[in-house]
């Protein structure tokens, strides 16, 4: 049985194979619909935090593949509070064929996987966001025709999304630079792990405090300055990031690439990490990126639950 907890758990070949399967499933869907390879299968979607994309893309992905999804709201389960994580995993395993969970502590994802008898998919933890990361690799490969040698510069907080982009780049030969204000760098343990993984593909993983590091970028990626759970720090973060870390037209120009692609996992706080003009520009991949969550995640569902 395979789980989907971190991109770092996979080999470069496995990641490419997920992307190829996603390509095939997207093409099949466009040609009239997917085959019902998950007929009779059900997946629990367990949320400790809000969601639009993750919830709806997994739910529709299951539906398109002939299966069924059950949404479990943050107020329902009380992960580790009303009931232990292990007991939740044991009970859900007897009802459903897969569990997707969005949690605060990554420990809870690991514990769900430890006690579950069905595959567990990480739908975001404070540590990483691998379903987003895989989908973003899919979107970049679709838009640019390759991943090897692509220059992706992430401007923002060294957060869960940044972590999955570093792991994803390391596994596919995409060079990733994480640009943050001082004090918001990604965890050095993560950077070191991604750097070690990158030896397999030749990717370069770097960090910087200088927004001018976007020079030469093929892709500029951003995410909210304040992630879910950090709301108490929002005012300080807004001040710290406002000093040059907004993805706006002048940052676009600093890339020196008129065709630079703009990505954001969404939800966006327009006027903070990204300007309206850039979010709605010709360079923006935001909407296709959000759509592709559904296509790429179908590959995860088909492989983990359908044996594809
Ligand atoms: N990008 C993403 O995971 O969006 P949601 O929080 O809406 O699921
Ligand atoms: N970094 C953001 C991503 C939301 C999809 C958060 O964790 O809130």
């Amino acid at each position: 049985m395979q789980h989907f907890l971190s991109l770092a758990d996979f080999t470069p070949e496995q990641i490419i194979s997920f992307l190829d399967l996603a390509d095939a499933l997207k093409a099949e869907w466009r040609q009239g619909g997917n085959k019902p390879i998950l007929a009779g299968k059900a997946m629990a979607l367990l949320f400790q935090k809000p969601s639009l994309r993750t919830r709806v893309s997994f739910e529709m992905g299951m539906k398109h593949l002939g299966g069924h999804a059950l949404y479990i709201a943050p107020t329902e389960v009380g992960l580790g509070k009303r009931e232990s994580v292990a007991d939740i995993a044991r009970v859900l395993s007897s009802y459903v064929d897969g569990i997707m969970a969005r949690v605060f502590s990554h420990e809870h994802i690991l514990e769900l996987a430890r006690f579950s008898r069905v595959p567990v998919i990480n739908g975001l933890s404070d540590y990483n966001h691998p379903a987003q990361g895989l989908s973003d690799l899919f979107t970049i490969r679709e838009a640019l025709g390759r991943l090897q040698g692509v220059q992706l510069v992430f401007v923002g907080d060294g957060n869960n999304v940044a972590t999955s982009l570093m792991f994803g780049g390391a596994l596919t030969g995409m060079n990733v630079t994480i640009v943050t204000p001082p004090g918001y760098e990604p965890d050095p343990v993560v950077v070191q792990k991604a750097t070690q993984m990158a030896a397999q593909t030749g990717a370069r993983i770097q960090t910087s405090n200088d927004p001018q590091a976007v020079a030469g970028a093929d892709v500029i990626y951003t995410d909210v300055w304040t992630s879910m759970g950090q709301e108490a720090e929002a005012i300080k973060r807004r001040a710290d990031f406002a000093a040059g870390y907004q993805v706006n037209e002048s940052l676009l120009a600093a890339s020196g690439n008129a065709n630079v692609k703009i990505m954001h996992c969404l939800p966006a706080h327009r006027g903070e990490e990204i300007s309206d003009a850039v979010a709605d520009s010709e360079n923006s991949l935001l909407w296709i990126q959000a759509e592709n969550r559904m296509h790429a995640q179908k590959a995860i569902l088909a492989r983990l639950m359908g044996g594809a």
Side-chain angles (χ1 to χ4, degrees):
M1 183 176 72
Q2 207 175 18
H3 298 296
F4 193 86
L5 311 181
S6 171
L7 294 183
D9 297 337
F10 296 95
T11 64
E13 294 72 27
Q14 285 172 319
I15 295 295
I16 297 302
S17 168
F18 273 122
L19 299 178
D20 291 345
L21 180 56
D23 266 337
L25 289 166
K26 182 171 179 177
E28 184 182 73
W29 176 74
R30 285 207 159 152
Q31 282 154 21
N34 293 120
K35 294 193 190 75
I37 56 173
L38 295 183
K41 304 258 175 162
M43 164 167 263
L45 307 177
L46 187 59
F47 283 89
Q48 272 195 310
K49 302 181 181 187
S51 170
L52 172 66
R53 282 144 290 272
T54 303
R55 179 202 172 159
V56 181
S57 59
F58 270 110
E59 198 163 327
M60 292 311 294
M62 281 300 288
K63 196 178 169 75
H64 291 171
L65 296 174
H68 184 75
L70 296 100
Y71 170 68
I72 308 172
T75 46
E76 300 274 341
V77 167
L79 208 74
K81 293 196 181 92
R82 181 170 185 263
E83 200 163 1
S84 80
V85 177
D87 286 357
I88 292 169
R90 291 182 182 110
V91 170
L92 279 178
S93 297
S94 57
Y95 298 144
V96 295
D97 307 282
I99 301 169
M100 191 237 71
R102 165 168 287 192
V103 301
F104 287 92
S105 163
H106 191 65
E107 265 309 308
H108 285 165
I109 286 285
L110 299 177
E111 212 175 329
L112 277 173
R114 197 151 52 239
F115 291 97
S116 173
R117 301 187 304 278
V118 299
V120 173
I121 298 172
N122 178 359
L124 179 145
S125 70
D126 286 345
Y127 172 59
N128 65 352
H129 196 359
Q132 180 76 54
L134 183 75
S135 305
D136 293 340
L137 293 173
F138 180 74
T139 298
I140 296 165
R141 193 175 79 159
E142 189 181 65
L144 300 180
R146 69 197 164 97
L147 287 164
Q148 186 75 43
V150 166
Q151 310 285 344
L152 181 142
V153 182
F154 176 98
V155 182
D157 183 24
N159 63 15
N160 44 9
V161 171
T163 293
S164 288
L165 289 171
M166 281 187 276
F167 290 156
L171 289 166
T172 58
M174 178 172 73
N175 302 319
V176 176
T177 303
I178 307 292
V179 177
T180 68
Y184 295 94
E185 293 86 359
D187 181 347
V189 176
V190 169
V191 179
Q192 195 189 4
K193 188 178 168 85
T195 303
Q196 280 163 2
M197 288 162 58
Q200 307 170 83
T201 61
R204 239 180 320 101
I205 307 297
Q206 293 174 301
T207 61
S208 169
N209 297 129
D210 182 3
Q212 297 303 313
V214 296
D218 298 302
V219 179
I220 299 176
Y221 197 119
T222 191
D223 182 16
V224 292
W225 294 337
T226 301
S227 285
M228 293 180 277
Q230 299 173 327
E231 288 77 8
E233 300 170 24
I235 293 172
K236 174 165 171 44
R237 284 173 171 267
R238 221 171 277 139
D240 291 345
F241 284 84
Y245 297 88
Q246 184 189 68
V247 176
N248 53 27
E249 282 169 309
S250 80
L251 203 78
L252 227 74
S255 75
N257 174 6
N259 294 318
V260 65
K261 303 295 182 203
I262 302 299
M263 297 180 72
H264 191 314
C265 57
L266 303 176
H269 293 162
R270 287 165 174 261
E272 292 190 17
E273 75 277 0
I274 193 164
S275 68
D276 280 326
V278 167
D280 301 326
S281 67
E282 301 244 305
N283 304 64
S284 169
L285 289 182
L286 268 51
W287 319 117
I288 187 68
Q289 181 184 0
E291 179 189 322
N292 278 339
R293 289 290 301 278
M294 183 174 75
H295 302 302
Q297 288 163 189
K298 277 187 200 171
I300 306 172
L301 298 171
R303 183 132 302 159
L304 268 54
M305 295 167 63

